[in-house]
């Protein structure tokens, strides 16, 4: 379909899909409005009309944006657009957004066809790692003994030194232990995107693109890795998701 007539309301865009795509019936849009399609040739944009563009900056709106995209991705390939993508009411989505890049959009959708994204977060079990550090480092054991039963002010320097040792040790172990785990994950995926981690106990965070017909195999690999490392690490798998990390450059 193409847009008909003039629109006074701004429209919120979620992503690009193939023309005739199936829209989810469950999730509401960012403001609770029904989802709709506007098409141009072989591709289409998923949108909702906005009652108030100034009400988008809320956690609930962001959550609704993600839910819509994940629901779309459960049925067909989708190119997610950034949260907060708004087209003014007077603009023609088909002519101004879709038509100029219709061929590139169609090619990108084809590349993602049959695939879905998962995100895997691996963290050290802090208590288990601390016990391991204490047993292997006499300085740490001594510092913990000095700190025991004291206030933060009394043993501030000892606490700072202990924290430095723990953080440095976990960062060192991450550099050696994450690569072989990630290599096994790559063997069960189409593509991976390694994300930068922010906390000392983070081992790795990786987005993976998995073929839908290989999800069971992929999940088995993750389960085996989690079991093999269960005494020291925690694995959290999120998905299926829209392919946020794998939209081809256009």
């Amino acid at each position: 379909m193409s847009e008909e007539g003039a629109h006074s309301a701004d429209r919120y865009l979620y992503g690009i899909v193939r023309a005739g795509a199936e829209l989810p019936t469950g999730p509401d849009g960012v403001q609770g409005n029904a989802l709709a399609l506007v098409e141009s040739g072989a591709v289409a944009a998923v949108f909702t009309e906005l009652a108030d563009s100034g009400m988008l900056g809320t956690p609930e709106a962001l959550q609704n944006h993600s839910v819509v995209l994940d629901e779309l991705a459960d049925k067909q390939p989708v190119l997610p657009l950034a949260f907060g993508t708004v087209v003014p009411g007077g603009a023609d989505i088909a002519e101004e957004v879709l038509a100029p890049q219709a061929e590139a959009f169609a090619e990108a959708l084809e590349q993602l066809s049959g695939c879905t994204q998962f995100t895997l977060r691996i963290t050290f079990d802090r208590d288990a790692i601390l016990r391991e550090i204490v047993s292997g480092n006499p300085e740490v054991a001594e510092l913990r003994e000095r700190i025991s039963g004291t206030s933060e002010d009394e043993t501030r320097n000892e606490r700072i030194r202990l924290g430095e040792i723990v953080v440095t040790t976990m960062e060192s172990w991450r550099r050696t232990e994450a690569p072989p785990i990630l290599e096994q994950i790559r063997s069960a995926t189409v593509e991976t995107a390694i994300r930068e981690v922010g906390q000392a106990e983070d081992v790795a965070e990786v987005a993976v693109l998995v073929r839908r017909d290989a999800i069971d195999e992929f999940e088995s690999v993750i389960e085996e890795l989690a079991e093999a490392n269960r005494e020291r690490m925690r694995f959290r798998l999120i998905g299926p998701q829209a392919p946020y990390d794998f939209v081809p450059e256009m």
Side-chain angles (χ1 to χ4, degrees):
M1 59 175 273
S2 61
E3 292 179 287
E4 297 178 3
H7 287 272
S8 57
D10 291 346
R11 282 145 300 159
Y12 183 93
L13 301 187
Y14 299 89
I16 308 299
V17 293
R18 289 168 173 160
E22 180 181 352
L23 293 179
T25 56
D28 295 322
V30 291
Q31 292 181 355
N33 296 329
L35 302 176
L37 276 182
V38 56
E39 300 178 355
S40 176
V43 297
V46 180
F47 75 95
T48 51
E49 293 195 353
L50 289 177
D52 182 356
S53 299
M55 296 176 62
L56 288 177
T58 66
E60 183 181 4
L62 176 58
Q63 175 68 17
N64 288 348
H65 172 87
S66 299
V67 168
V68 167
L69 283 168
D70 290 347
E71 288 285 337
L72 283 166
D74 189 49
K75 304 293 184 184
Q76 65 259 310
V78 58
L79 305 177
L81 295 174
F83 174 65
T85 302
V86 176
V87 174
D92 187 320
I93 296 174
E95 291 299 323
E96 298 177 34
V97 177
L98 295 174
Q101 296 196 78
E103 188 174 337
F105 287 150
E107 185 176 335
L109 288 166
E110 182 59 32
Q111 291 180 38
L112 294 170
S113 181
C115 297
T116 190
Q117 174 172 319
F118 287 84
T119 299
L120 176 65
R121 294 172 181 161
I122 310 170
T123 57
F124 284 120
D125 182 307
R126 197 175 184 91
D127 291 339
I129 291 300
L130 188 55
R131 287 193 297 270
E132 197 172 328
I133 294 173
V134 169
S135 66
N137 189 321
E139 183 184 359
V140 170
E142 182 182 343
L143 286 168
R144 280 173 60 84
E145 187 159 337
R146 285 190 207 167
I147 289 170
S148 179
T150 66
S151 68
E152 288 191 19
D153 287 339
E154 289 174 315
T155 52
R156 182 178 304 277
N157 291 337
E158 287 87 349
R159 292 171 189 271
I160 291 173
R161 175 58 183 157
L162 178 60
E164 289 173 346
I165 294 173
V166 170
V167 168
T168 300
T169 302
M170 286 196 288
E171 289 176 344
S172 174
W173 287 351
R174 174 204 303 154
R175 287 192 291 271
T176 59
E177 296 182 35
I181 292 174
L182 294 174
E183 189 58 37
Q184 291 185 65
I185 292 170
R186 287 189 185 96
S187 70
T189 63
V190 175
E191 192 175 348
T192 59
I194 309 298
R195 296 176 180 170
E196 187 174 342
V197 295
Q199 303 299 321
E201 60 264 32
D202 293 338
V203 179
E205 181 169 331
V206 56
V208 298
L209 194 65
V210 181
R211 291 203 59 80
R212 292 184 185 279
D213 57 13
I215 288 178
D216 289 346
E217 176 190 349
F218 165 71
E219 290 180 338
S220 294
V221 169
I222 301 303
E223 288 171 6
E224 290 172 6
L225 286 168
E227 177 62 24
N229 294 279
R230 64 186 175 85
E231 294 183 0
R232 305 176 71 248
M233 299 179 191
R234 298 291 175 261
F235 285 61
R236 183 186 177 202
L237 187 63
I238 304 165
Q241 301 173 299
Y244 305 100
D245 292 76
F246 301 101
V247 176
E249 292 186 13
M250 289 172 285

